């Protein structure tokens, strides 16, 4: 296999990847960006983004990502479809294999691979995949107009998905394992006050059933406590919104990761333990995980790449 030799490779096409691409292009690093598992990143599966500075009326995730892509293309980024399937970061230039067949040799690498939705780990989630189980309300909500659905989780994503689904479905259960929501206050208020959303606090899902796709979720209320009881709810769709796993597996033999798989960076920088290899966005951020912070770290990664190349 003959390797293509480049100066700056960016993997991932969320706000971190595209911001890195905009800065790296403008710095004449001729970056190549591979879009990764989910072109446009997680924001393409969200509804309106209301908290990105500069959009007082909000903007849809898909629209924002398309605009970021166009901005990166305008400055000359080579945007390609493809997923990093293997890496050799043992020495510079670093080798990355795309889709198991294309080898890229790069002087700097910006990893902006983001994170992927988590599932509960129930066999029924696999059994009913595509038949009522989903981790993306904006992708699949359309199929549940005037139906009853459940969303699992108590964070901002779960609240956002519940509100989105409540705009389509006739009823939404929000299944929360604790006695409180983790989401921001504004999202909590919206969910609590929504007439179509019923929150089931201290409920855990143990299974799903149905002849033709999901028809029931089997829950346990107050598990392991006095008053523990089984609760079954009739539903047509079951949506997971319980957080994400960082997409760092390909690099785990070379980069320092934390116990959840997030790439460790030097505090306040996108620098990993390998010179010239930077991590930006959700793959390295277990704390903030916002579009704006991802974009900021993508910018920092591009600036650090430029500095590294000019040393
Ligand atoms: P979070 O990690 O914030 O929340 C995950 C939720 O899922 C928690 O309520 C957690 O429960 C629950 N959970 C985790 N595992 C299980 C399980 N096995 N069974 C049942 N429940 C489970 O993830 P989010 O995706 O909601 O948010 C990630 C980040 O993105 C956050 O910082 C959030 O603020 C941000 N975000 C911002 C948005 C916006 O501003 N518009 C929109 C969406 C996300 P527990 O609380 O018990 O741990």
């Amino acid at each position: 296999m003959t390797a293509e030799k480049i100066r700056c490779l960016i993997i991932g096409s969320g706000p971190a990847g595209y911001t890195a691409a905009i800065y790296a292009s403008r710095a004449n690093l001729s970056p190549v960006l591979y879009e990764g598992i989910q072109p446009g990143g997680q924001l393409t599966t969200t509804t309106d983004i209301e908290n990105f500075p500069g959009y007082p009326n909000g903007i849809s995730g898909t629209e924002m990502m398309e605009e970021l892509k166009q901005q990166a293309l305008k400055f000359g980024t080579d945007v390609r479809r493809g997923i990093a399937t293997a890496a050799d970061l043992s020495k510079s230039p670093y080798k990355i294999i795309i889709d198991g067949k294309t080898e890229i040799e790069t002087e700097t690498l910006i990893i902006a691979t983001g994170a992927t939705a988590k599932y509960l780990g129930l066999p029924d989630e696999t059994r009913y995949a595509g038949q009522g189980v989903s981790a993306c309300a904006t992708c699949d909500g359309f199929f549940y107009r005037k139906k009853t659905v459940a969303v699992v989780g108590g964070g901002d994503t779960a609240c956002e998905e519940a509100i989105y689904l409540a705009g389509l479905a006739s009823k939404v259960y929000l299944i929360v394992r604790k006695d409180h929501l983790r989401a921001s206050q504004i999202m909590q208020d919206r969910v609590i006050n929504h007439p179509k959303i019923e929150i089931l606090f201290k409920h855990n899902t143990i299974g799903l059933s149905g002849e033709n796709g999901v028809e029931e979720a089997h829950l346990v209320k107050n598990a392991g406590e006095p008053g523990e009881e089984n609760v079954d709810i009739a539903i047509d769709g079951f949506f997971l919104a319980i957080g994400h796993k960082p997409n760092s597996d390909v690099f785990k033999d070379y980069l320092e990761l934390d116990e959840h798989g997030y790439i460790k960076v030097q505090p306040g920088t996108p620098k990993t333990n390998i010179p010239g290899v930077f991590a930006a966005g959700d793959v390295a951020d277990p704390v903030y995980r916002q579009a704006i912070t991802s974009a900021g770290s993508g910018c920092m990664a591009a600036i650090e790449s430029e500095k590294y190349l000019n040393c």
Side-chain angles (χ1 to χ4, degrees), residues 28-92:
N28 283 338
L29 305 188
S30 308
V32 172
L33 179 149
Y34 278 95
E35 290 184 317
I37 302 168
Q38 189 174 24
Q42 291 173 61
L43 287 185
T44 55
T45 63
T46 195
T47 47
D48 284 347
I49 300 162
E50 296 178 341
N51 52 10
F52 201 96
Y55 297 96
N57 301 318
I59 180 168
S60 86
T62 325
E63 201 181 336
M64 175 184 271
M65 294 322 301
E66 185 51 36
E67 294 205 340
L68 279 173
K69 180 176 180 176
Q70 291 308 321
Q71 201 171 347
L73 287 169
K74 175 179 150 186
F75 291 115
T77 304
D78 184 346
V79 177
R80 303 177 185 173
R81 292 304 281 268
I83 295 165
T85 47
D88 179 356
L89 308 184
S90 57
K91 60 178 190 311
S92 174

Side-chain angles (χ1 to χ4, degrees), residues 103-117:
E103 187 176 322
I104 308 280
E105 251 181 45
T106 185
E107 290 173 61
T108 61
L109 173 64
I110 297 176
I111 302 167
T113 43
T116 301

Side-chain angles (χ1 to χ4, degrees), residues 44 65 75 91 146 153 165 190 195 198 211 216 273 280:
T44 55
M65 294 322 301
F75 291 115
K91 60 178 190 311
K146 298 195 167 59
L165 288 166
R190 285 183 194 172
E198 180 179 345
E211 293 287 313
E216 254 189 329
N273 55 304

Side-chain angles (χ1 to χ4, degrees), residues 51 120 152-158 160 177-178 182 204 241-244 287-290:
N51 52 10
L120 294 170
V152 186
D156 279 320
T157 304
E160 197 178 75
R177 66 180 175 183
K178 291 198 176 133
R182 185 198 285 207
N204 279 291
I242 60 169
H244 293 80
V287 181
Y288 301 105
R289 297 181 289 192
Q290 301 297 300

